[in-house]
Amino acid sequence: MTVKDLARDLGMSVSTVSRAFYPDAVIASETRRTVLKRAEEIGYRANPFAKSLVTKKTQIVGMVVSDLANPYYPEVMTNLTGLLQGHGMNTMLVAPGRPEEIDPAVDLLLTYQPDLVIILATNFKSSAREKCEAAGAPCIFFNRLSADGLGFGVTCDNIEGGRKAADFLIDSGHTKLAYVSAFPGASTNVERGKGFCDRAVERGLSPPRIFEAGTFSYTDGYKAWRQVSEGEAPDGVFCANDIVAIGFIEGIQENLGLKVPDDVSVVGYDDIAMAGWPSHRLTTVAQPTREMMETTVELARELAGHHNHSDHEPRIVRIPPGPMVERQTTMRRSKQ
């Protein structure tokens, strides 16, 4: 069954029938419903490969992610995929587990000729980005910026988020602050730590202690307890993200006997679903994730709809952080 057969069956032109299968195409809603209903009845399915030969577009969005251990990204991938599919774009996931696997993964992805590539949580090399762009697939970095500062990016204003965490702890009466850092080269980590530490100093406190966790993971957050024992314990701690904060809390409670929040208040970043579980009830800085995803999809539609991507100047979109979500891992010491 071809599109010509379907058009003949409906008594419509091939171009009219074809437009019904493109969510963004201009066509009367009643006509679209008629075409799609009849197509389902007779078992017609649009052939994306045939379409790509005509349009020079595959409607494939490559998605590169290596940090699947961080619950934030599976949540984002699920919702972002749904939003893209709502606009007729389908995702192809590649998940390189180690840095040396990134280039082969990108090479594999490019054989499917994606219209563009979205980068989530991976140390994507500048050479890999350049390879994608040379193949006609511009890159959008989500919640992380390119190491060379080039390309397109959609991210939370992480510096402002770090400042918000510092103000929250200081306004709650905490005076001995610390930051649990993760993935030293990641823009998210660098900016959150800078905003937090700079704001603490601006507010008249000593520079916060820095505990290097290593990665955005529960395991490395847990291990950071060893560094806490090497000096005076802080009374307020901001962690690079929620999963690090959850690991850190369990590490200091089990190994140092510190109670959260009685001895130490702990703040995370992201507001993943797990943060609200009764077993964690983590105070955190909420990411504007929905707005970030919608902005990414709009940018993806804009880039995928043009054959000449050089017409678009690379840009970074920074979205203000969401609210502080106060739960049970912090307390207001100034009111005791």
Side-chain angles (χ1 to χ4, degrees), residues 307-329:
H307 290 279
N308 187 4
H309 300 118
S310 62
D311 293 342
H312 292 79
E313 285 294 325
R315 62 183 183 273
I316 306 299
V317 181
R318 296 181 184 273
I319 299 173
M324 286 293 312
V325 182
E326 187 174 0
R327 297 192 180 99
Q328 295 182 12
T329 59

Side-chain angles (χ1 to χ4, degrees), residues 37 44 50 69 79 83 89 92 104 149 174 223 233 245 288 336:
K37 182 176 184 295
Y44 171 78
N79 292 298
L83 290 172
M89 294 180 278
M92 178 179 176
H174 301 81
K223 291 177 181 177
Q336 289 184 317

Side-chain angles (χ1 to χ4, degrees), residues 114 150 189:
L150 301 177
N189 175 69

Side-chain angles (χ1 to χ4, degrees), residues 257-308:
L258 294 173
K259 295 181 180 179
V260 177
D262 296 28
D263 300 318
V264 184
S265 289
V266 178
V267 174
Y269 201 107
D270 285 339
D271 195 27
I272 59 176
M274 189 185 298
W277 291 1
S279 54
H280 302 304
R281 293 176 179 170
L282 177 69
T283 296
T284 184
V285 180
Q287 284 238 58
T289 304
R290 186 71 185 184
E291 188 175 352
M292 289 164 60
M293 290 191 296
E294 290 173 348
T295 301
T296 299
V297 171
E298 287 304 310
L299 182 54
R301 292 178 63 197
E302 180 183 332
L303 293 174
H306 290 77
H307 290 279
N308 187 4

Side-chain angles (χ1 to χ4, degrees), residues 62-320:
M63 195 174 287
V64 183
V65 57
S66 63
D67 193 8
L68 289 172
N70 180 354
Y72 179 73
Y73 287 104
E75 290 180 17
V76 168
M77 286 166 51
T78 299
N79 292 298
L80 188 55
T81 296
L83 290 172
L84 289 167
Q85 288 177 337
H87 292 286
M89 294 180 278
N90 296 296
T91 57
M92 178 179 176
L93 173 67
V94 292
R98 297 186 298 274
E100 62 270 20
E101 296 175 352
I102 291 177
D103 280 345
V106 169
D107 289 338
L108 172 62
L109 177 63
L110 292 178
T111 63
Y112 290 87
Q113 300 179 341
D115 292 336
L116 61 115
V117 178
I118 297 177
I119 315 300
L120 296 89
T122 185
N123 283 348
F124 207 65
K125 301 176 184 177
S126 298
S127 58
R129 176 181 56 76
E130 292 166 358
K131 184 185 296 185
C132 290
E133 292 174 349
C139 295
I140 303 174
F141 288 79
F142 181 92
N143 194 42
R144 184 93 42 103
L145 301 180
S146 174
D148 58 12
L150 301 177
F152 299 89
V154 178
T155 182
C156 175
D157 186 340
N158 289 295
I159 290 180
E160 182 58 32
R163 293 173 66 85
K164 179 174 284 195
D167 281 334
F168 174 81
L169 287 170
I170 295 169
D171 291 344
S172 299
H174 301 81
T175 58
K176 295 177 291 184
L177 304 185
Y179 176 62
V180 182
S181 171
F183 233 135
S187 60
T188 46
N189 175 69
V190 172
E191 293 177 353
R192 290 169 191 175
K194 176 176 173 54
F196 181 75
C197 294
D198 287 354
R199 184 57 174 163
V201 173
E202 288 175 14
R203 295 281 306 262
L205 300 186
S206 299
R209 292 179 66 188
I210 306 295
F211 304 135
E212 296 289 351
T215 66
F216 289 105
S217 69
Y218 170 91
T219 300
D220 283 349
Y222 183 95
K223 291 177 181 177
W225 73 266
R226 295 188 179 93
Q227 297 173 57
V228 179
S229 66
E230 296 171 359
E232 183 182 16
D235 62 5
V237 177
F238 173 46
C239 297
N241 74 353
D242 287 346
I243 198 65
V244 168
I246 290 170
F248 179 76
I249 289 170
E250 297 191 4
I252 62 174
Q253 290 189 144
E254 291 183 8
N255 297 282
L256 299 178
L258 294 173
K259 295 181 180 179
V260 177
D262 296 28
D263 300 318
V264 184
S265 289
V266 178
V267 174
Y269 201 107
D270 285 339
D271 195 27
I272 59 176
M274 189 185 298
W277 291 1
S279 54
H280 302 304
R281 293 176 179 170
L282 177 69
T283 296
T284 184
V285 180
Q287 284 238 58
T289 304
R290 186 71 185 184
E291 188 175 352
M292 289 164 60
M293 290 191 296
E294 290 173 348
T295 301
T296 299
V297 171
E298 287 304 310
L299 182 54
R301 292 178 63 197
E302 180 183 332
L303 293 174
H306 290 77
H307 290 279
N308 187 4
H309 300 118
S310 62
D311 293 342
H312 292 79
E313 285 294 325
R315 62 183 183 273
I316 306 299
V317 181
R318 296 181 184 273
I319 299 173

